Amino acid sequence: AEVRMSDEIARMVEEGKYVYCIIKTPRPRDFGAIGIGEGTARVYTVHFGELAAVVSDTPIRIYDPTRENVLAHEFVNETVMREHTVIPMSFGTLFRTEEDIVELLKSTYQAFDDVLQKMRDKIEFGLKVLWDRERVIARLEQENDEIRRLKDEINRSGQGSTYFARMQLGRMVEGALEEAGNAYVRDIHEALKPAAVASRSNKPIGDRMIMNAAFLVDRERERDFDELVKAVSHKYDDLLTFKYTGPWPPYNFVNIKLKLEKASS
């Protein structure tokens, strides 16, 4: 009875395919046992025409975006990206069968082919810029005549300084901070523009971040782009912290939204 039960459970755990990305290759590829999930699933290609989906076998399940799972998904895309232009799929994309994947490639062949053509040999870099707010304020107080004059006036008045004057100073500093932040971001974008094909600004996270951007770069210009990032970070090294990551697949520049029909039971 025990054996029969476990056979039944095994049949109930339905196998599916996890899809990482789409590439263009006429030949079947095997990227090794690096797939998502427990153990190490083999990552291989499923083909239609010259397009291929990079997949691994998995039970049909919801993959939670834990650090481990997200890193496994990204690691496969980064591995494939070393040799191919990739269209990354969003995390947790599962199909029931190989036939379903072939059907997807067939029905969206032209769209995928066009995107692969546009993204050919292009890679993405992420740049987050954080500031030291107190240092920026100190710099503004040195350089902005109006702020310096009002601050001196309040300091001279000591306790007698008016509530209005202090409020005015606060507003003036906030306005100058916003202007400075916008100017830094514009300057950084201008400095990096010569080596980038495109850029995309995402919403900054938290109070210290003033810039959260992604840059699309031709593979052959990678070193040029690195040098420009180094130069602009050096220019602001006493005020700003640069967090530079990549190369990545073009996550921010390719948006593939799949409308998957609910599987008929």
Side-chain angles (χ1 to χ4, degrees):
E2 212 173 293
V3 173
R4 223 171 26 248
M5 183 74 127
S6 58
D7 284 350
E8 206 172 305
I9 289 168
R11 278 198 300 276
M12 281 164 62
V13 178
E14 198 181 345
E15 281 292 314
K17 309 277 181 202
Y18 187 104
V19 184
Y20 301 90
C21 58
I22 309 295
I23 60 175
K24 197 165 185 174
T25 176
R27 289 187 313 281
R29 290 295 317 268
D30 189 318
F31 294 97
I34 56 172
I36 197 168
E38 303 74 18
T40 45
R42 188 172 68 86
V43 174
Y44 60 97
T45 47
V46 170
H47 294 254
F48 179 78
E50 292 213 334
L51 294 184
V54 175
V55 310
S56 62
D57 297 337
T58 172
I60 296 280
R61 52 172 282 197
I62 301 288
Y63 276 98
D64 293 319
T66 59
R67 180 177 162 75
E68 193 183 356
N69 283 340
V70 170
L71 287 177
H73 174 94
E74 286 179 354
F75 181 70
V76 172
N77 280 339
E78 286 166 52
T79 302
V80 176
M81 186 185 115
R82 285 180 207 142
E83 301 170 60
H84 299 273
T85 297
V86 310
I87 298 176
M89 301 298 274
S90 56
F91 174 84
T93 304
L94 267 79
F95 285 78
R96 290 192 181 280
T97 66
E98 199 163 303
E99 289 71 31
D100 289 341
I101 296 171
V102 170
E103 196 48 52
L104 165 77
L105 294 174
K106 193 174 172 182
S107 62
T108 46
Y109 196 92
Q110 197 55 56
F112 280 148
D113 199 44
D114 290 349
V115 172
L116 282 167
Q117 197 55 43
K118 284 194 184 85
M119 291 295 145
R120 190 171 172 187
D121 292 327
K122 291 180 182 64
I123 48 184
E124 179 177 312
F125 290 92
L127 186 63
K128 292 179 169 67
V129 179
L130 297 89
W131 67 4
D132 186 324
R133 201 180 154 95
E134 296 314 308
R135 279 190 184 179
V136 176
I137 290 172
R139 173 73 62 89
L140 289 172
E141 285 171 353
Q142 283 171 3
E143 293 174 356
N144 185 309
D145 292 339
E146 265 187 286
I147 290 175
R148 196 170 62 246
R149 207 164 38 243
L150 189 55
K151 196 175 183 211
D152 289 347
E153 202 179 292
I154 289 169
N155 288 341
R156 277 198 306 276
S157 311
Q159 291 301 312
S161 70
T162 65
Y163 171 74
F164 174 73
R166 290 197 302 276
M167 285 290 286
Q168 195 183 359
L169 178 65
R171 276 200 301 271
M172 209 180 275
V173 168
E174 280 303 319
L177 265 176
E178 193 178 339
E179 265 180 51
N182 291 339
Y184 294 152
V185 170
R186 272 198 309 275
D187 189 40
I188 294 163
H189 272 288
E190 283 302 313
L192 302 180
K193 201 190 265 182
V197 178
S199 68
R200 178 173 172 183
S201 295
N202 295 315
K203 200 173 188 290
I205 306 151
D207 293 342
R208 291 189 58 224
M209 194 182 293
I210 59 167
M211 177 171 163
N212 181 12
F215 293 86
L216 192 66
V217 176
D218 268 315
R219 225 180 254 273
E220 62 191 31
R221 301 290 311 274
E222 181 177 349
R223 185 169 289 181
D224 298 341
F225 189 76
D226 286 350
E227 290 303 320
L228 291 180
V229 171
K230 209 177 288 175
V232 76
S233 67
H234 188 61
K235 177 179 174 181
Y236 289 114
D237 64 0
D238 57 334
L239 295 174
L240 307 177
T241 303
F242 286 68
K243 294 190 172 182
Y244 178 45
T245 59
W248 305 106
Y251 290 116
N252 279 275
F253 298 91
V254 176
N255 186 10
I256 303 293
K257 279 202 167 72
L258 295 175
K259 278 190 176 167
L260 302 180
E261 296 303 318
K262 200 170 172 193
S264 51
S265 46

